[in-house]
Amino acid sequence: MTASTRRARVRAPELVGRGWLNTGGEQITLADLRGKITLLDFWTFCCINCLHVLDELRPLEAEFADVLVTIGVHSPKFAHEADPDALAAAVERYEVHHPVLDDPELVTWQAYAVKAWPTLVLVDPEGYVVHVAAGEGHAEALRRVITELVAEHEAKGTLHRGDGPYVPPPAPETALRFPAKVVALPDSLLVSDSAHHSLVELRGDGDGGEGSLLRRIGSGTRGRADGAPDEASFSEPSGLAVLPPEVAARVGYDVVVADTVNHLLRGVRLADGHVTTVAGTGQQWRDGEDAGPALAVDLTSPWDVAWWEPAGGVVVAMAGNHTLGLFDPVAGTVRRFAGTTVEGLRDGAAEEAFFAQTSGLAVVGDRLWLADSETSALRWVEPSAEGGFTVRTAVGTGLFDFGHRDGPADQALLQHPLGVAALPDGSVAVCDTYNGAVRRYDPETREVSTLAGDLAEPSGAVLVDGELVVVASAAHRLERPVPPGVTARLVAGAAHQVRRPSSDLAPGEVELAVVFTPPPGQKLDERYGPSTRLEVTCSPPELLVEGAGVDTALTRRLVVSDTVAEGVLHVVAQAASCDDDPAVEHPVCRLTRQDWGVPVRVVSSGPRRLALVMGGLDDSGL
């Protein structure tokens, strides 16, 4: 029996939502899952950490195929994610091979007291919640808990082996499948064909149909092999950057590819399509060193890349930890260029700025423009007078505000943009992905307008002979919706906020407790000092009178202001644990890390304790 099972016996709430995917049209209840170990994965398809977890769970699903049923509970953040067709596309795009409950009203989310994407909940074969884990990096902990549950319930006779309720949908056939980004070559276009795990070169006037394909680079199967075009492999490649000719001549490749799910940068030689790994180890960065020889440094979900002369290299949108990296192809090094790994929106010196899943990069003049998707923001980086770099925001206010509204930039709203591109007049085109639109920002007037709409999740764009070529990712093709001389229009759309329920807190003293129980067979690693770390910030800063900052304890005394009605607590926690076997000289150690952005409402009758579960169970159960 696991430690978490001994602490509490909480009956799992029923699974309630709008409908199901990947079940062949069947509804699933907890009674249907009795006798199986059930893993609920609360996710939303905009969230990079959720996408990491999908990949982490694949080996577990294979290992315990006859006893474990994974259920994805899709709890949307953005309005677009509540669209059932958009969810169905995302389930296909990310190769989700388990049933998914569509929970647009967050009914099941609230029943399980979830406070963060992603959150994992284990339910035993008798229908009791036995383990909760927020964030990513929990695969080994889950493996240990599941192994104990298998032994326990096999002995009790309550474990039933056999197939689960997953029914695969029919496989679609299109030349491109969820393409991500596009760049212009001298006489053609190069597209990252993400769901086909390859790159495709198209005719310059092509749209991605079969007749426009010139060649494919990559075998089309998920992998990380280098070599010739038919031998090399990628895993959901995204961003593309063409190197200056003089740099390409020195390094032996012409294009840098953000090989997102492999956590790698790849180099492509256009003369023969040969692919080489140029940065990353293939392991996802969790903590520690993020600078050094390019092939010795872990990366985390590089989403886009752009050559930027002021930085002297390829800037990398490191969506996985909310930073920008810098890859020097000549020196063969990589380092952090901007950001702290805290998810949010904060301007200033590059090394102190907060980003939120940066997903698109473009150079316009001496500025590097970026789409910060989780804050629905358009931002830029520019050289500072002091010799460093400064980050500024043109459009966007934070993690919880979005919409489709044009006009003055300080009032305009985007919804999860994934791409940016330079326009001939020095303005910036924004692929406003979840609004299905291309927007225009004019740096001179600081006005936002809409260039085109009714696009299927535009995710990248490039200017070709004055015409904007847009990747319509969910339509599996390229569109040319913005010809030269097009007139922008203004949209007076509504503002939206993330509908995630707020946590009520009382003003004054409040206890913040991050719950972490090491997985079975492990203990906290105290060999070199404290094994835990807790960082607390908030927006607005006035929300907390005391308690912000960094310390080693996972419990913190906060003093909540009585003059601020609401805000967001940003909490980043981590814990190091190692195998608890004194006979092992070099135990296996793991770092668990999670960040929360908790909407808070300050009310006089609110509780004086906020518990966030990183691993295990809170004393109160869920």
Side-chain angles (χ1 to χ4, degrees):
M1 183 176 291
T2 68
S4 53
T5 307
R6 291 192 296 270
R7 293 178 64 185
R9 291 280 285 177
V10 179
R11 179 68 70 178
E14 189 53 82
L15 304 175
V16 179
R18 178 169 56 190
W20 288 86
L21 293 87
N22 286 352
T23 65
E26 298 295 319
Q27 305 294 304
I28 298 175
T29 67
L30 286 176
D32 300 326
L33 301 172
R34 194 62 56 86
K36 297 287 189 181
I37 300 166
T38 302
L39 176 59
L40 304 179
D41 175 17
F42 289 85
W43 71 299
T44 186
F45 65 77
C46 72
C47 164
I48 188 66
N49 310 93
C50 300
L51 303 185
H52 290 164
V53 167
L54 289 176
D55 288 307
E56 290 174 2
L57 294 183
R58 296 185 206 279
L60 280 180
E61 293 175 282
E63 181 179 352
F64 297 101
D66 62 339
V67 296
L68 177 69
V69 174
T70 301
I71 302 288
V73 182
H74 188 264
S75 310
K77 172 181 176 180
F78 291 100
H80 176 70
E81 293 175 299
D83 181 329
D85 293 335
L87 173 58
V91 168
E92 181 203 334
R93 179 196 300 258
Y94 298 117
E95 299 180 13
V96 180
H97 293 164
H98 52 246
V100 174
L101 173 64
D102 182 6
D103 183 26
E105 300 300 325
L106 306 187
V107 175
T108 300
W109 165 288
Q110 294 183 70
Y112 281 82
V114 175
K115 288 185 169 62
W117 294 283
T119 292
L120 300 165
V121 179
L122 268 176
V123 180
D124 74 11
E126 295 178 294
Y128 290 95
V129 173
V130 294
H131 188 80
V132 177
E136 52 184 287
H138 295 287
E140 180 57 29
L142 291 170
R143 177 178 286 106
R144 294 178 182 222
V145 175
I146 292 168
T147 298
E148 286 198 355
L149 288 171
V150 169
E152 175 187 344
H153 288 276
E154 202 147 48
K156 291 173 66 176
T158 51
L159 183 73
H160 302 160
R161 295 182 179 272
D163 293 335
Y166 169 66
V167 178
E173 291 292 337
T174 53
L176 299 179
R177 204 70 194 164
F178 298 107
K181 305 289 184 183
V182 58
V183 292
L185 302 178
D187 300 305
S188 60
L189 299 171
L190 187 65
V191 180
S192 52
D193 192 7
S194 182
H196 284 153
H197 311 296
S198 58
L199 311 180
V200 172
E201 189 174 359
L202 305 176
R203 294 196 324 262
D205 60 352
D207 63 2
E210 288 288 355
S212 63
L213 272 65
L214 298 177
R215 63 171 168 170
R216 186 174 293 275
I217 299 173
S219 64
T221 58
R222 191 188 293 268
R224 52 169 294 186
D226 289 341
D230 57 344
E231 300 169 343
S233 53
F234 301 86
S235 187
E236 298 178 32
S238 183
L240 306 164
V242 179
L243 295 177
E246 64 276 11
V247 175
R250 293 184 65 179
V251 300
Y253 53 89
D254 307 277
V255 177
V256 175
V257 182
D259 194 5
T260 305
V261 176
N262 275 329
H263 311 295
L264 297 173
L265 299 183
R266 316 293 290 280
V268 177
R269 189 170 59 216
L270 292 175
D272 58 3
H274 190 273
V275 177
T276 306
T277 299
V278 297
T281 65
Q283 299 298 311
Q284 182 188 344
W285 180 91
R286 297 286 188 194
D287 192 42
E289 291 296 325
D290 56 6
L295 292 172
V297 175
D298 295 342
L299 309 180
T300 174
S301 295
W303 204 280
D304 203 2
V305 282
W307 175 268
W308 192 36
E309 194 63 42
V314 176
V315 177
V316 184
M318 212 75 74
N321 66 358
H322 317 296
T323 65
L324 300 178
L326 182 64
F327 168 56
D328 184 334
V330 175
T333 59
V334 69
R335 65 176 177 85
R336 185 180 301 174
F337 175 65
T340 67
T341 76
V342 173
E343 183 180 21
L345 192 154
R346 185 172 78 181
D347 291 342
E351 62 273 12
E352 299 174 356
F354 292 172
F355 300 94
Q357 207 170 301
T358 302
S359 303
L361 302 171
V363 176
V364 183
D366 62 352
R367 290 179 175 179
L368 177 70
W369 289 86
L370 56 97
D372 229 9
S373 61
E374 283 297 286
T375 51
S376 297
L378 173 65
R379 308 175 74 187
W380 80 87
V381 186
E382 63 186 358
S384 64
E386 295 75 23
F389 295 90
T390 303
V391 180
R392 302 290 184 214
T393 298
V395 180
T397 59
L399 286 164
F400 300 99
D401 298 292
F402 62 92
H404 188 161
R405 187 168 65 197
D406 290 327
D410 59 355
Q411 300 175 34
L413 294 168
L414 309 170
Q415 186 181 179
H416 198 78
L418 290 180
V420 284
L423 293 174
D425 61 358
S427 62
V428 182
V430 183
C431 293
D432 192 8
T433 308
Y434 285 3
N435 280 325
V438 176
R439 313 283 291 282
R440 174 180 180 267
Y441 172 73
D442 186 338
E444 294 296 324
T445 64
R446 301 194 68 248
E447 294 279 329
V448 177
S449 54
T450 297
L451 291 171
D454 299 320
L455 299 170
E457 295 191 7
S459 60
V462 67
L463 197 71
V464 180
D465 297 328
E467 184 177 47
L468 197 65
V469 179
V470 178
V471 180
S473 186
H476 319 294
R477 56 179 285 128
L478 303 185
E479 304 274 12
R480 287 170 165 79
V482 187
V486 71
T487 302
R489 56 191 173 94
L490 298 179
V491 173
H496 301 281
Q497 284 194 320
V498 174
R499 295 180 297 166
R500 182 164 45 148
S502 296
S503 295
D504 288 348
L505 288 181
E509 290 193 11
V510 171
E511 180 190 51
L512 170 65
V514 174
V515 179
F516 178 73
T517 302
Q522 289 205 323
K523 65 179 180 180
L524 288 173
D525 180 15
E526 307 284 357
R527 292 174 298 165
Y528 308 109
S531 60
T532 57
R533 181 181 185 274
L534 180 65
E535 180 177 355
V536 178
T537 58
C538 60
S539 56
E542 296 78 17
L543 176 64
L544 288 183
V545 178
E546 295 180 30
V550 180
D551 205 344
T552 58
L554 292 183
T555 301
R556 177 82 58 88
R557 171 184 172 271
L558 307 179
V559 178
V560 179
S561 172
D562 59 2
T563 62
V564 178
E566 59 184 10
V568 179
L569 275 180
H570 301 279
V571 180
V572 181
Q574 64 184 45
S577 58
C578 292
D579 288 344
D580 187 12
D581 185 349
V584 177
E585 182 177 358
H586 300 292
V588 176
C589 299
R590 295 171 182 84
L591 181 73
T592 303
R593 175 188 169 100
Q594 168 62 1
D595 53 17
W596 292 265
V598 183
V600 168
R601 188 177 63 161
V602 182
V603 294
S604 58
S605 59
R608 296 195 175 277
R609 182 175 187 267
L610 175 62
L612 303 174
V613 180
M614 186 163 64
L617 282 178
D618 184 25
D619 292 330
S620 60
L622 293 178

